[in-house]
Amino acid sequence: PATESAFTCPSGSAKAGSSILVGQPITGNMITTIDPVAQKALALYTAAPNLPGFPNFINQTPGVRNDDMFQIRIDHNLSDKNQFFGRYLYAEDNQNSPGALPGYASLEYFRGQNFALGWTHTFSPTLLNEARFGFQRDFQNFNCLGCPRPAGTIAGFGIANLSGFGPITESNPSFNFSGFSAQGGGGSFSTFTGVGDGIYHPMFNPDMVETYEDNLTWTRGHHTFVFGGSMAFWQSLRVQSPAYPAGTFSFSG
């Protein structure tokens, strides 16, 4: 490329008058001066071909999803006029969605816990009160397989002015090459062509909800009146959702 120059084709040639690029052939027809960043990007392609022709690789790693859940409930009559219940629910979900190449997949982890208490009190045959309290705590984490990677992973590629801005963001930059298989995060996150980790937004999102509710039911003749109210408080705790923290680089070829 350093020897390239414009050349005007002479009269009598197939492209007479046209300007074309010419240059000295690379010695031995072998490129030896590969950019250091490109060498590290190429090293991300670790799988050997397992098919003839093009495309020449298929990843048969299965996707995995595990769900676990249990619930405990207690109902107790304290007296003829007082009934009580308590409930605890726990749910956990783990998903692994493989990408086009081994070693690159998207991981999703979710844990939810729900706790509820209820108290029903009968004041009289025509007056009933129901009070309830609920609490929900969730934790959700999206990331890539093996992420976050060791400290300095992003900076180690040697791309000017690109480095991680927190431990959770350390991953391989995304290098996108047109004409090559989608790669990077697996599953629905693979929306580009190339290799790397950072094609989606790694997310760390714990939150919780508190609910308070009370209803008073009054029966008067042929009429039933219900009075009450509810309050819900939602808190999002320490959310982290950086957009493409390791960078994404596209090459059209």
Side-chain angles (χ1 to χ4, degrees), residues 10-24:
S11 58
S13 63
K15 293 189 175 183
S18 299
S19 181
I20 62 173
L21 282 176
V22 297
Q24 295 296 321

Side-chain angles (χ1 to χ4, degrees), residues 128-131 212-218 225-231:
L128 178 74
N129 189 78
E130 297 175 288
Y212 303 87
E213 183 177 304
D214 191 86
N215 292 308
L216 182 68
T217 303
W218 177 41
F225 302 91
V226 179
F227 308 91
S230 64
M231 296 185 296

Side-chain angles (χ1 to χ4, degrees), residues 6-245:
F7 176 79
T8 302
C9 298
S11 58
S13 63
K15 293 189 175 183
S18 299
S19 181
I20 62 173
L21 282 176
V22 297
Q24 295 296 321
I26 295 174
T27 303
N29 208 30
M30 178 70 69
I31 299 174
T32 58
T33 55
I34 300 177
D35 184 270
V37 177
Q39 293 183 36
K40 293 184 178 181
L42 290 172
L44 300 178
Y45 290 93
T46 58
N50 58 14
L51 291 175
F54 180 84
N56 61 1
F57 179 82
I58 183 171
N59 183 11
Q60 295 181 318
T61 305
V64 178
R65 174 171 176 166
N66 293 309
D67 295 290
D68 298 291
M69 183 178 71
F70 71 86
Q71 177 176 286
I72 299 172
R73 179 179 171 121
I74 297 175
D75 292 274
H76 182 61
N77 291 327
L78 298 173
S79 66
D80 292 340
K81 293 187 176 183
N82 294 282
Q83 291 79 44
F84 171 85
F85 86 86
R87 185 197 68 227
Y88 174 73
L89 174 67
Y90 179 91
E92 189 174 89
D93 170 64
N94 279 282
Q95 295 187 51
N96 181 330
S97 301
L101 295 176
Y104 298 96
S106 63
L107 303 180
E108 177 185 355
Y109 173 75
F110 173 83
R111 181 185 68 239
Q113 300 181 77
N114 182 282
F115 175 72
L117 293 174
W119 173 35
T120 301
H121 177 70
T122 303
F123 291 99
S124 70
T126 61
L127 193 61
L128 178 74
N129 189 78
E130 297 175 288
R132 293 191 178 188
F133 166 74
F135 179 81
Q136 173 87 15
R137 180 69 183 261
D138 300 318
F139 176 83
Q140 191 173 30
N141 187 21
F142 286 102
N143 221 325
C144 53
L145 182 66
C147 294
R149 300 196 182 277
T153 295
I154 299 176
F157 277 80
I159 301 171
N161 302 317
L162 182 65
S163 61
F165 53 86
I168 195 175
T169 68
E170 289 290 356
S171 58
N172 295 320
S174 295
F175 298 96
N176 316 311
F177 309 102
S178 59
F180 286 82
S181 300
Q183 178 52 34
S188 61
F189 300 117
S190 285
T191 56
F192 75 105
T193 56
V195 67
D197 295 325
I199 56 104
Y200 60 97
H201 300 213
M203 184 178 70
F204 172 80
N205 183 25
D207 69 338
M208 66 182 189
V209 180
E210 297 175 57
T211 304
Y212 303 87
E213 183 177 304
D214 191 86
N215 292 308
L216 182 68
T217 303
W218 177 41
T219 303
R220 178 75 172 177
H222 295 292
H223 304 282
T224 299
F225 302 91
V226 179
F227 308 91
S230 64
M231 296 185 296
F233 302 91
W234 174 70
Q235 296 184 62
S236 187
L237 313 170
R238 305 186 306 279
V239 174
Q240 295 187 65
S241 185
Y244 310 101

